[in-house]
Every structure is written in C-alpha cells, then in structure tokens.
Amino acid sequence: MMDEMDYTQPAESFLRSIDVHELLPQQEPFVMISRLTHFDKLRTVTETIISEDNIFVKNGCFTASGLMENIAQTCAARIGYVNKYILKKGIQIGFIGAIRNMQIHGLPKVGDTITTTVDVMEEIFGMTLANSTVQLGKNILVTAEMKIALKNDGTESK
C-alpha cells in the first residue's frame, strides 16, 4: 500500500514522479525547478532544465536572479514536501530572509540541466539557514547561504 511508504526516506523514482507544482506556492511562469530528486532530513536536491522561455533567461543564459530563485524554490520544495507528505498539511509561504556569501562561477545556458543542492544548517522558529550549491555536471556554478523565513500566521495556500 502507498500509505506504508516511509516518506522520510523516499526513493528517487517516487520523488521524480511528483509534480513540483504541488510542492510550491509559485505558479508558472515563475516556477524555477523541474523536479525533486533527493530528500532527507538535511539535504534536498532538485534538477532544472533551463528553457528558452524562462523569464530569467537573457541572451541564452540563466541569470543570477534566476539562480537565486532556483535555490529559494529548492528550499520551498523541501518545505512543501515535508508539509504534504510528512505533516499532511498545505503549502506554506516562505520568503528569502537573507542571502550571504553568494559566489557565481558561471551561468547555465538554455538546454542545460542544473542540479541544486540545499543542505540545512539550522532550523529554528520558522527560519531555515541553508548552504546551497548549483552545479552543471561536476562544475560548480553557484554557492550561497540562504535564510528562508516561513509565514507563520496559520494561513496556508491551497
């Protein structure tokens, strides 16, 4: 039975089958991740195919703003997954509280598939501090620390 699955240690095939729109408060054209590929208590990984019609593509490259939003949405996918599959509740709205030590080593091009890894360093009072890395193959494109604050007024989106 599906209910007997351990959602805290899901198989990659299950994660890849999830429509990321179910995990995010953002909707098109503002969705910056393609699929969730790994989830555990401290690490979340997404893949994103850079499409030509993405609002953050300029001159054939995904911009720094797009990469920042990609990291934030990887954090949001983690929170969405926890809420939907583990806590059995709706999506929470989150906000970027701070970005520190962001280093951009390169920008992906249209058609590239990037992998974004978010490692939770600390979670307290609705705030998550995470280290993130965006890679194209084995090449690191971006590293950054991001602080995400969750809206905690009890309101959840559908």
Side-chain angles (χ1 to χ4, degrees):
M1 269 179 116
M2 190 67 152
D3 289 344
E4 294 177 20
M5 181 175 153
D6 181 358
Y7 290 108
T8 64
Q9 297 180 331
E12 183 177 339
S13 59
F14 169 71
L15 293 173
R16 286 179 176 277
S17 75
I18 297 172
D19 180 352
V20 294
H21 296 86
E22 296 175 16
L23 305 178
L24 301 174
Q26 295 88 349
Q27 295 302 311
E28 299 297 346
F30 210 72
V31 174
M32 299 296 141
I33 61 174
S34 301
R35 70 189 60 82
L36 182 61
T37 62
H38 177 85
F39 171 86
D40 65 34
K41 185 176 179 181
L42 298 176
R43 177 171 278 185
T44 303
V45 182
T46 61
E47 285 180 352
T48 306
I49 301 166
I50 308 303
S51 63
E52 191 170 6
D53 62 350
N54 186 295
I55 61 173
F56 286 117
V57 167
K58 299 279 188 270
N59 300 320
C61 290
F62 198 43
T63 64
S65 298
L67 288 164
M68 191 177 350
E69 185 61 27
N70 169 264
I71 293 167
Q73 287 190 23
T74 298
C75 292
R78 176 186 173 275
I79 295 162
Y81 179 86
V82 168
N83 284 337
K84 180 172 181 162
Y85 291 98
I86 297 172
L87 301 177
K88 310 289 189 204
K89 64 183 206 176
I91 293 174
Q92 286 181 281
I93 305 294
F95 303 93
I96 298 172
I99 299 167
R100 296 187 0 194
N101 303 321
M102 187 169 190
Q103 295 185 349
I104 300 175
H105 306 286
L107 299 174
K109 296 176 177 42
V110 169
D112 287 345
T113 299
I114 57 174
T115 302
T116 305
T117 302
V118 170
D119 291 308
V120 174
M121 305 312 291
E122 189 172 0
E123 282 185 297
I124 187 165
F125 301 120
M127 296 286 286
T128 301
L129 177 62
N131 280 334
S132 59
T133 304
V134 180
Q135 292 181 247
L136 176 60
K138 293 184 186 226
N139 296 324
I140 294 175
L141 298 178
V142 179
T143 57
E145 292 175 20
M146 189 172 284
K147 189 181 295 183
I148 301 288
L150 290 179
K151 185 176 180 182
N152 67 354
D153 65 358
T155 323
E156 297 173 350
S157 69
K158 30 180 179 159

